Amino acid sequence: MSYKKLLQEHSPKDLAESFVFPVKLSAKQQKAADLQLAEARQKAREKMTDAEKLTGRLMGLKFRMEDYFRAEKPKSDYSFGYFLKLYIELLDMKRRGFAEEIGIDETLLSQLINQRRTPPEYIPIRLELHSNNLIPAEYWFRVIEKDQEGAMIMNKASMRKKEMKYVKGKISVYL
């Protein structure tokens, strides 16, 4: 917004009062300010209920998932199994108990976490229901898609070579 438009909507006094002037602190002042902030954050954390703490951790997981599936290239250390394992850890649950809660065998859960098996379609739905809709099924599906995209990128050359024998012709248009 231009300065002229701001002056049409607000008085110069209002604009001056709303402006935040940057403050330069000495190293000693900065250290004291950092300490005060750390103490205030610690007091706020102590006042939080367990449910609020869990909600905060789960929101962090949700944001990390968003970053993953919005990334241009899949991150090799992230996967459906990684996020599922992290979800279970954030809940502070044992795998056996979690598997029972979502109605699957513990062996299947282990295979999903260790990326030995692609998740069946019902798993993201059950995870959404288990999280009380805090992490939507769409997020879990998008993580699965990103995993598949990463696998395809990694194996594209070998996949082309393997599938070429099935393609009998090509179109003559080039881009």
Side-chain angles (χ1 to χ4, degrees):
M1 186 176 267
S2 73
Y3 180 70
K4 289 181 182 181
K5 285 186 180 180
L6 286 172
L7 281 175
Q8 290 174 352
E9 296 176 17
H10 306 284
S11 71
K13 182 179 178 183
D14 290 337
L15 289 174
E17 288 176 357
S18 69
F19 186 76
V20 178
F21 293 95
V23 177
K24 292 284 184 180
L25 300 176
S26 68
K28 186 177 179 181
Q29 291 171 324
Q30 184 65 47
K31 189 173 182 178
D34 291 345
L35 185 60
Q36 284 178 330
L37 179 61
E39 289 173 1
R41 291 181 73 197
Q42 181 63 33
K43 286 179 185 177
R45 266 192 231 110
E46 289 170 359
K47 291 180 183 178
M48 290 175 70
T49 66
D50 288 341
E52 290 171 330
K53 290 176 185 176
L54 178 59
T55 301
R57 291 191 304 264
L58 291 174
M59 291 303 293
L61 171 64
K62 185 177 177 179
F63 296 144
R64 194 178 300 182
M65 290 170 85
E66 287 176 356
D67 289 344
Y68 174 58
F69 57 70
R70 287 183 183 155
E72 288 290 320
K73 295 180 180 175
K75 296 179 183 176
S76 60
D77 52 339
Y78 286 176
S79 66
F80 180 85
Y82 167 82
F83 287 114
L84 181 57
K85 181 180 177 185
L86 188 56
Y87 178 70
I88 296 167
E89 288 172 358
L90 291 174
L91 297 175
D92 196 26
M93 292 186 77
K94 302 252 185 243
R95 288 184 182 184
R96 176 174 288 156
F98 180 76
E100 287 175 12
E101 284 195 5
I102 64 168
I104 63 171
D105 189 78
E106 188 179 358
T107 305
L108 173 59
L109 179 61
S110 178
Q111 290 171 341
L112 295 174
I113 289 172
N114 295 309
Q115 302 173 54
R116 304 272 188 261
R117 185 166 170 188
T118 302
E121 286 186 359
Y122 60 84
I123 294 292
I125 303 297
R126 291 184 189 182
L127 292 171
E128 175 186 280
L129 294 171
H130 188 269
S131 73
N132 200 18
N133 301 321
L134 187 64
I135 303 176
E138 291 83 3
Y139 278 47
W140 294 104
F141 278 117
R142 291 176 79 179
V143 168
I144 294 167
E145 287 175 358
K146 199 68 167 183
D147 289 351
Q148 291 170 340
E149 177 187 345
M152 187 202 64
I153 290 170
M154 295 291 290
N155 301 319
K156 191 174 183 180
S158 65
M159 289 171 64
R160 278 186 170 170
K161 189 175 182 180
K162 178 182 171 188
E163 299 301 323
M164 188 56 124
K165 63 184 173 186
Y166 299 108
V167 178
K168 304 295 183 216
K170 295 182 186 179
I171 61 173
S172 60
V173 177
Y174 294 96
L175 295 180

